[in-house]
Amino acid sequence: MSTPSSSLFQNAHKVLKALLFDSNYFWHLASLVLVGDTLLTGLIIRYVPYTEIDWETYMIQTKVFLQGQHNYSLITGPTGPLVYPAGHVQIHKMLYNITDAGANIRLAQTLYGLLYLTTLALSCGIYYSAGHVPNWIVLLLPLSKRLHSIFVLRLFNDCWCVAAVQAAILAFQNGFYDTGMLLFSAALSVKMGTILYLPGLLVILFKKRGLNRTIIHIITLLATQALFAVPFLREDPWAYIRCAFDLSRVFLYEWTVNWRIFDERTFLSSRLATTLLTGHATVLVAFGLYHWCKPDGGVLKVLSRGLRRPSLPAGVVPVTADYVATVLFTSNLIGIIFARSLHYQFYSWYAQQIPFLAWRTRFSMPVKLALIVGIEYAWNVFPSTPLSSGILLTCNVLLTAGVWFGYSNGKRS
C-alpha cells in the first residue's frame, strides 16, 4: 500500500518525465524556461555593469543621418564609419527616439532583453517545428553567459539580425515562404552576415518552390534591400553599396575569436583569405552534392527537373520543417567556420542553434555536450588565445562533420 508521500513522489516523477521527454509537453517546459530566463535577464540588467562598445557609435551615426547626411561614406562615429546596411539605420533611428538619443541606457537594455527573449521563444518554436529533439534541450538555451552579455550588456546590432532570421526560419518551416523572405531580407538589411544562410536557402527554395518562384524570391530580396536604402541610393548609390556590403572588409586581428591559431601576418594575408573562401565554397558544394539533394536523386536530377518544369518544385521528397532548420543552420555554421575573423558579438549568429545541430549528429551524449561546452568556453575567453581559438575551430569542425555523418537532411528525412 503506497503512502501519501510515495504517491506524491510518483506523481512528481511522472510530471517531470513528461516535461523532459513528452513532446506534448514541450511548450510547458519551454514556457518555464522563458519565465526563468526573463528573471535571469532582469537580474543581469539590474546588477551587472553595462559596458560601452558600439552603442554610442550607433547613436552618433544615427544623429548624423537625422541631421540630413545621406551619403553613406560620410556617416561615421567614435569607432569608425557606418558599415551596416540601411535596416540598421532605420532600427537605430527608432531606438534613438525612444531612448533619448541613446542616453537612457537602462531602457535600451530592457528593450534588448525583450529582444533576447523573443529570440529564445523563436528558437523554441524552431526546435518544436523540427521535432526529433528531447524537450530538455531547451534547458540548454539560457545557459550562455556570452549571449546574455551580447544582448543586454553590449547592445550589439547583431541581436536584431538574429531575431529577424530566426523568425524567417520559423516562417519557412511552416510554409510561409513569402513572409519568410521578407523577414530574411529584414535580417540582411541589418547585417551582411545573414548571407551565410543563402546557399542553403537557395537549395530549399529551388526544391520546394521551383525555378520561377525562386527567381521571384531573389528579386523580392533585392527589391526590399533597395527599398530600405532609398535615401542613401538617391544620394550616392555606389557609396552605399561599397560601405554597407563591403565583401573585402578585413577585421582587426586583436578582436578575432576565430583563426587566432595563426600569427597576425598570416591572418591578414590574402593567401589565407583565398584559402578560406575556397574551403567555404568546397564544403557547401559537397553538402549540396552528397547530402542536401540526395533524397531527390542527386543534384543533376534536381537541376534537370527544375529547368524542365520551372513552375513546379524541383524536389520530389517533401521539404520538412526539420530539413529546413538543419540545412539553414548547417549553411550558417559552415560560413562561420570559414570566416577569417569573428568578433565576440558574432557568437549570437549561431549560439541558439548549436544544441539543435548537436542532435543532428550521431555522437554520444557526452560528446554532444562536450562540443556545446567547448564552443561556449571558447567564446568566453577574452582576449582569445591560440588555445581557445583552436578549441573553437575543433568543436565547430567536429559539429559540422557530425552533421555530415549524421542527419544532414534532418531526422524526419
Side-chain angles (χ1 to χ4, degrees):
M1 184 175 180
S2 61
T3 63
S5 59
S6 65
S7 181
L8 180 64
F9 175 79
Q10 290 174 356
N11 289 334
H13 179 264
K14 289 180 180 178
V15 170
L16 182 61
K17 185 177 179 181
L19 283 173
L20 295 178
F21 299 104
D22 188 340
S23 60
N24 293 318
Y25 293 90
F26 177 91
W27 282 110
H28 294 75
L29 182 61
S31 297
L32 293 175
V33 169
L34 284 165
V35 170
D37 209 1
T38 298
L39 297 175
L40 174 61
T41 303
L43 291 172
I44 292 172
I45 292 172
R46 183 174 179 84
Y47 293 107
V48 181
Y50 162 78
T51 302
E52 172 56 45
I53 298 181
D54 282 340
W55 175 255
E56 181 185 6
T57 294
Y58 297 161
M59 292 296 103
I60 291 176
Q61 291 171 344
T62 302
K63 181 180 179 180
V64 172
F65 164 69
L66 291 173
Q67 289 175 338
Q69 180 56 263
H70 292 167
N71 186 316
Y72 236 61
S73 63
L74 300 179
I75 301 176
T76 189
T79 60
L82 179 56
V83 292
Y84 310 115
H88 161 89
V89 178
Q90 300 300 333
I91 288 172
H92 287 85
K93 174 184 173 182
M94 173 193 69
L95 293 172
Y96 185 92
N97 294 326
I98 293 175
T99 62
D100 190 22
N104 193 339
I105 296 294
R106 180 56 58 88
L107 176 57
Q109 287 182 283
T110 301
L111 292 172
Y112 272 75
L114 293 172
L115 185 65
Y116 164 73
L117 294 169
T118 299
T119 66
L120 180 59
L122 290 168
S123 294
C124 289
I126 292 170
Y127 280 43
Y128 178 76
S129 295
H132 290 277
V133 291
N135 296 359
W136 64 264
I137 283 186
V138 299
L139 296 173
L140 302 176
L141 294 178
L143 300 183
S144 174
K145 175 184 175 183
R146 176 61 68 187
L147 190 59
H148 284 92
S149 173
I150 290 168
F151 273 83
V152 299
L153 300 180
R154 304 295 189 269
L155 309 181
F156 285 117
N157 66 340
D158 303 74
C159 306
W160 297 93
C161 175
V162 170
V165 82
Q166 295 284 67
I169 292 170
L170 189 58
F172 292 139
Q173 284 183 302
N174 289 279
F176 300 106
Y177 281 85
D178 293 331
T179 302
M181 286 306 299
L182 292 176
L183 289 166
F184 184 81
S185 183
L188 183 59
S189 78
V190 178
K191 202 85 175 185
M192 188 175 62
T194 306
I195 205 168
L196 297 180
Y197 291 95
L198 193 57
L201 180 57
L202 289 174
V203 172
I204 291 168
L205 292 175
F206 191 69
K207 287 177 59 175
K208 177 68 176 180
R209 308 284 277 174
L211 178 60
N212 290 347
R213 293 296 301 176
T214 298
I215 292 173
I216 291 173
H217 285 312
I218 297 303
I219 292 173
T220 300
L221 181 65
L222 296 174
T224 49
Q225 289 303 305
L227 187 62
F228 285 123
V230 165
F232 310 109
L233 293 175
R234 285 176 176 170
E235 180 72 20
D236 189 334
W238 175 241
Y240 173 74
I241 294 171
R242 180 170 49 84
C243 295
F245 296 97
D246 183 5
L247 296 174
S248 63
R249 185 180 173 202
V250 179
F251 292 96
L252 295 176
Y253 178 74
E254 63 180 301
W255 293 110
T256 190
V257 184
N258 208 24
W259 297 105
R260 193 178 277 274
I261 56 175
F262 297 119
D263 58 57
E264 185 170 6
R265 182 178 178 180
T266 303
F267 178 85
L268 295 175
S269 68
S270 59
R271 177 177 294 181
L272 178 61
T274 302
T275 301
L276 292 177
L277 181 61
T278 303
H280 186 189
T282 301
V283 176
L284 283 172
V285 169
F287 266 91
L289 286 174
Y290 299 107
H291 287 282
W292 292 341
C293 294
K294 186 177 180 180
D296 301 279
V299 170
L300 294 180
K301 289 188 177 181
V302 171
L303 289 173
S304 175
R305 279 192 296 269
L307 294 174
R308 281 189 292 106
R309 46 182 201 183
S311 61
L312 296 176
V316 292
V317 175
V319 175
T320 65
D322 190 2
Y323 179 87
V324 168
T326 304
V327 170
L328 290 179
F329 286 179
T330 305
S331 180
N332 185 44
L333 176 60
I334 293 168
I336 285 170
I337 289 173
F338 289 100
R340 175 161 51 166
S341 179
L342 294 176
H343 291 186
Y344 285 90
Q345 64 268 31
F346 296 174
Y347 184 39
S348 63
W349 292 7
Y350 78 129
Q352 294 170 326
Q353 303 173 6
I354 294 167
F356 182 93
L357 286 173
W359 259 257
R360 291 299 175 265
T361 72
R362 298 180 187 272
F363 293 140
S364 65
M365 182 74 69
V367 175
K368 292 175 182 176
L369 295 177
L371 291 177
I372 295 170
V373 171
I375 292 172
E376 175 70 17
Y377 162 78
W379 284 100
N380 279 280
V381 175
F382 178 80
S384 65
T385 65
L387 175 61
S388 68
S389 187
I391 290 173
L392 176 63
L393 179 61
T394 300
C395 290
N396 283 340
V397 169
L398 285 176
L399 188 57
T400 306
V403 174
W404 174 276
F405 292 107
Y407 305 96
S408 55
N409 292 317
K411 287 190 174 181
R412 286 185 175 176
S413 296

